[in-house]
């Protein structure tokens, strides 16, 4: 049995199709202003590794996570917040949305890899 080394995140996933990312959504107006609302099912199924789940349990409501922009090769530290209603938000998202000039109705794809939340923005 042989293994092929993957040298680039692009080789793991077709970056050009939003539907190939495990978590994806169309951005709403509130998503581009400050906090990014994340799909609850997608977060719980694809993003929440055991260590983050335990961290949320120890620090009720918030945990800091690394977030990586695959197009710009920039890493950010953001807070993943579990709301009382059970939903999730990514605080400090405005540092990305302002820099990238992200607009409502654009799509975003997200995936958990190597201890970071990777994302890609898709045009309208």
């Amino acid at each position: 049995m042989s293994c092929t080394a993957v040298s680039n995140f692009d080789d793991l996933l077709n970056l050009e199709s939003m539907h190939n990312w495990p978590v994806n959504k169309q951005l709403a107006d509130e998503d581009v202003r400050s906090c990014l609302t994340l799909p609850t099912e997608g977060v719980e199924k694809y993003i929440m590794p055991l260590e983050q789940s335990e961290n949320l349990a120890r620090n009720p409501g918030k945990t800091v996570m690394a977030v990586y922009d695959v197009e710009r090769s920039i890493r950010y530290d953001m807070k993943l917040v579990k709301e009382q209603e059970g939903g999730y938000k990514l605080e400090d998202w405005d540092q990305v949305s302002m820099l990238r000039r992200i607009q409502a109705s654009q799509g975003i794809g997200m995936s958990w890899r190597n201890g970071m939340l990777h994302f890609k923005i898709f045009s309208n």
Side-chain angles (χ1 to χ4, degrees):
M1 186 167 137
S2 67
C3 294
T4 304
V6 177
S7 61
N8 191 328
F9 183 74
D10 297 3
D11 297 335
L12 295 174
L13 211 38
N14 175 1
L15 292 177
E16 300 311 312
S17 176
M18 185 170 80
H19 301 288
N20 285 341
W21 291 76
V23 179
N24 58 69
K25 72 175 276 187
Q26 293 300 121
L27 298 170
D29 286 332
E30 50 275 359
D31 292 326
V32 298
R33 286 192 217 122
S34 61
C35 294
L36 174 63
T37 302
L38 300 173
T40 302
E41 181 180 334
V43 169
E44 292 175 350
K45 188 172 181 180
Y46 297 107
I47 295 174
M48 292 297 291
L50 183 59
E51 65 198 65
Q52 293 293 340
S53 297
E54 290 174 357
N55 196 0
L56 271 176
R58 283 191 306 274
N59 304 303
K62 288 186 184 185
T63 187
V64 175
M65 65 173 27
V67 179
Y68 185 72
D69 181 340
V70 299
E71 295 168 291
R72 303 271 173 104
S73 299
I74 300 173
R75 180 184 177 268
Y76 302 91
D77 288 323
M78 297 186 193
K79 292 181 200 93
L80 179 66
V81 178
K82 185 170 186 178
E83 299 179 305
Q84 288 182 336
E85 308 82 47
Y88 293 90
K89 288 193 177 209
L90 201 53
E91 287 186 347
D92 306 319
W93 176 250
D94 57 334
Q95 59 185 313
V96 174
S97 61
M98 292 172 63
L99 177 68
R100 297 279 307 268
R101 296 188 181 146
I102 297 171
Q103 303 293 315
S105 82
Q106 286 184 288
I108 185 170
M110 295 167 277
S111 179
W112 187 264
R113 294 275 189 263
N114 301 322
M116 289 190 287
L117 178 64
H118 290 74
F119 75 91
K120 176 178 171 59
I121 302 297
F122 297 90
S123 50
N124 300 1

